[in-house]
Structure formats: C-alpha cells, structure tokens
C-alpha cells in the first residue's frame, strides 16, 4: 500500500521569505499523480499544485513550485515571497493512475505553516 | 457552478443518535468520496463511489454507511453515533483519477 510522509509537523517563515515543505512517499507504481493541498483556518481544502509522475518538469503555480525527485520518491513544495495569507495547514497527497480503489487520494498528516510579519 | 455542497456545516449529536451528512455535486463527476479529518492525522477515507449504484469501503468505514442512487448525491449515514466519530467530515468529487479532488466545505461533528 502507498504511504505519504510529511516529516515536519510545523514550519515557520518570515513574510517575503522562501520556505520549503517536505514530502516523501512510498509506492511500487510508475504512473501516479502528486498534489499539494492548502487548508486555511476556514477549513476549505484548496488544491495548490499537481504533478504528473511521468513528467520530469517540475510543476509551478505562481509563487508555488515543487521539487519532484521520482527516484528518491520526494515531492517538496517551495513557497516564494511568503505572504500572510499563506499561513495554513499543507497536505501532500498521492493518487495512483490505475483507478478503482487505487485511485483514491492518500494524504500525509500535514504541515502547519506559520508566516511571521 | 456550486461545486461540492455539504450540509450541515456544524452538528452536535448525542451518543446513540443517527444522522445523515448530505453531499451534492453539480459537475457530473463520477468519483465521490467521504473523508474524516482528525487533528494530527491527516484525512482518512471512509467510503468512496466510482459511479451511481457503486460504493465501496475505504480505510475507516465502521459506523458509517453510504448510498449513491444518482451521480449528484452521495450521503453519509452515521448510525448509533459514538464519541469516536467526533471529527471533521469532508465530501469530495473527481472527474477521473487524472485530477485532484474538489472538496466540500466540511462538516464539524461533535458527539457528546
């Protein structure tokens, strides 16, 4: 079974600085998708970024980018020019490309990010 | 386009009571899910459905039931509520496995 590990329960960053959140996963599959979700205090789950495993190019969305290392099974999220609104819980998630029960999102336990003004 | 709509947003239930959490999506998504979120534990899958009339258990199904009579609706039923079911519940949907989920806004349930 696949697992997702976020080793940093909490992180802190100064406003305008850069922070990197770590995520590792375990799978024997070759085709899958990886995601980062943001959960602010409002509780809403918001998709931040998506990475396809068969694409070597790292995904980027404005100030958010990932470092995807397939061989190392690592998927870190970099937030540049951090803003107060980035303060939230961040979840890393894995999804198999093979469908059925394997196609369900598997979440890490989350990293709580604080942004200091 | 409303996306995924969950009701209620908050509920307090007494031990032994039953209730249904409603979930509706208007995106014609085949896949629908129910997760629970407990502090420090991430999200755990309760039940999922790959289409109308098809449901299956996830990681933590005990104490819950679901049905999927239409593409749009995927209600979660709690029978004989227990304090261990105190949690935040999320409904989500997805068009295919190629994409992430669209989540509802969640239901905070407290069982006392």
């Amino acid at each position: 079974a696949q697992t997702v590990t976020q080793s940093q329960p909490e992180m802190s960053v100064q406003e305008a600085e850069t922070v990197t959140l770590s995520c590792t996963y375990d799978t024997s599959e070759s085709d899958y998708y990886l995601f980062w979700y943001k959960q602010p205090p409002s509780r809403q789950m918001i998709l931040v970024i998506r990475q396809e495993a068969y694409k070597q190019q790292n995904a980027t969305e404005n100030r958010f980018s990932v470092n995807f290392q397939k061989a190392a099974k690592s998927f870190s999220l970099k937030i540049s020019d951090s803003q107060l609104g980035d303060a939230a819980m961040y979840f890393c998630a894995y999804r198999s490309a093979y469908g059925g029960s394997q196609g369900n999102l598997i979440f890490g336990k989350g990293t709580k990010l604080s942004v200091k003004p | 386009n409303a996306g995924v709509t969950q009701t209620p947003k908050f509920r307090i239930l007494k031990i032994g009571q039953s209730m249904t959490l409603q979930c509706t999506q208007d995106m014609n998504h085949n896949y629908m899910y129910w997760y629970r979120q407990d502090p420090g534990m991430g999200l755990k899958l309760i039940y999922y459905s790959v289409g109308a009339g098809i449901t299956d258990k996830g990681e933590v199904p005990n104490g819950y039931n679901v049905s999927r009579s239409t593409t749009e609706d995927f209600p979660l039923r709690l029978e004989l509520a227990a304090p261990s079911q105190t949690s935040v519940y999320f409904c989500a949907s997805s068009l295919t496995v190629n994409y992430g989920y669209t989540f509802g806004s969640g239901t905070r349930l407290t069982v006392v």
Side-chain angles (χ1 to χ4, degrees):
Chain A
Q2 295 81 17
T3 58
V4 176
T5 302
Q6 294 178 251
S7 59
Q8 306 151 316
E10 295 188 22
M11 293 281 286
S12 181
V13 63
Q14 203 72 32
E15 195 175 6
E17 298 292 310
T18 296
V19 65
T20 299
L21 308 184
S22 300
C23 174
T24 59
Y25 58 95
D26 187 26
T27 185
S28 59
E29 299 174 336
S30 59
D31 196 9
Y32 49 86
Y33 302 89
L34 296 165
F35 305 86
W36 279 98
Y37 277 88
K38 172 185 178 182
Q39 186 181 42
S42 67
R43 197 171 69 201
Q44 183 68 49
M45 294 287 285
I46 302 165
L47 178 63
V48 175
I49 204 162
R50 167 181 174 269
Q51 175 77 43
E52 301 173 18
Y54 56 86
K55 286 189 175 181
Q56 291 187 341
Q57 185 175 4
N58 290 325
T60 62
E61 287 289 341
N62 301 314
R63 297 182 296 107
F64 298 87
S65 61
V66 298
N67 183 5
F68 173 48
Q69 301 290 328
K70 190 172 184 179
K73 297 180 183 176
S74 171
F75 183 60
S76 60
L77 175 70
K78 186 172 81 171
I79 306 174
S80 304
D81 186 25
S82 296
Q83 300 175 0
L84 295 178
D86 294 334
M89 184 73 82
Y90 286 82
F91 292 97
C92 179
Y94 171 101
R95 188 172 200 184
S96 169
Y98 296 103
S101 62
Q102 299 166 291
N104 303 325
L105 270 181
I106 299 168
F107 289 89
K109 293 185 178 181
T111 296
K112 184 176 181 180
L113 178 66
S114 302
V115 181
K116 298 178 181 178
Chain B
N1 195 342
V4 178
T5 303
Q6 273 186 253
T7 56
K9 295 192 184 304
F10 302 93
R11 181 73 184 267
I12 298 175
L13 213 56
K14 292 184 178 179
I15 294 172
Q17 287 185 321
S18 300
M19 75 164 295
T20 299
L21 280 65
Q22 301 293 342
C23 177
T24 299
Q25 54 91 8
D26 62 357
M27 299 171 285
N28 203 32
H29 285 178
N30 292 320
Y31 296 80
M32 295 190 74
Y33 308 86
W34 276 104
Y35 283 81
R36 60 176 288 171
Q37 181 182 20
D38 300 303
M41 298 302 293
L43 284 79
K44 302 282 188 182
L45 181 64
I46 305 171
Y47 271 94
Y48 68 99
S49 170
V50 299
I54 306 169
T55 63
D56 207 347
K57 297 177 181 179
E59 185 180 357
V60 289
N62 291 344
Y64 307 95
N65 275 299
V66 294
S67 60
R68 183 98 183 267
S69 56
T70 66
T71 299
E72 294 78 21
D73 300 309
F74 190 44
L76 177 71
R77 177 81 176 163
L78 279 72
E79 304 282 1
L80 300 175
S84 61
Q85 293 177 305
T86 293
S87 188
V88 177
Y89 292 83
F90 284 97
C91 179
S93 72
S94 174
L95 181 61
T96 71
V97 296
N98 297 350
Y99 299 93
Y101 295 173
T102 300
F103 281 87
S105 57
T107 297
R108 180 175 293 279
L109 175 69
T110 303
V111 182
V112 296

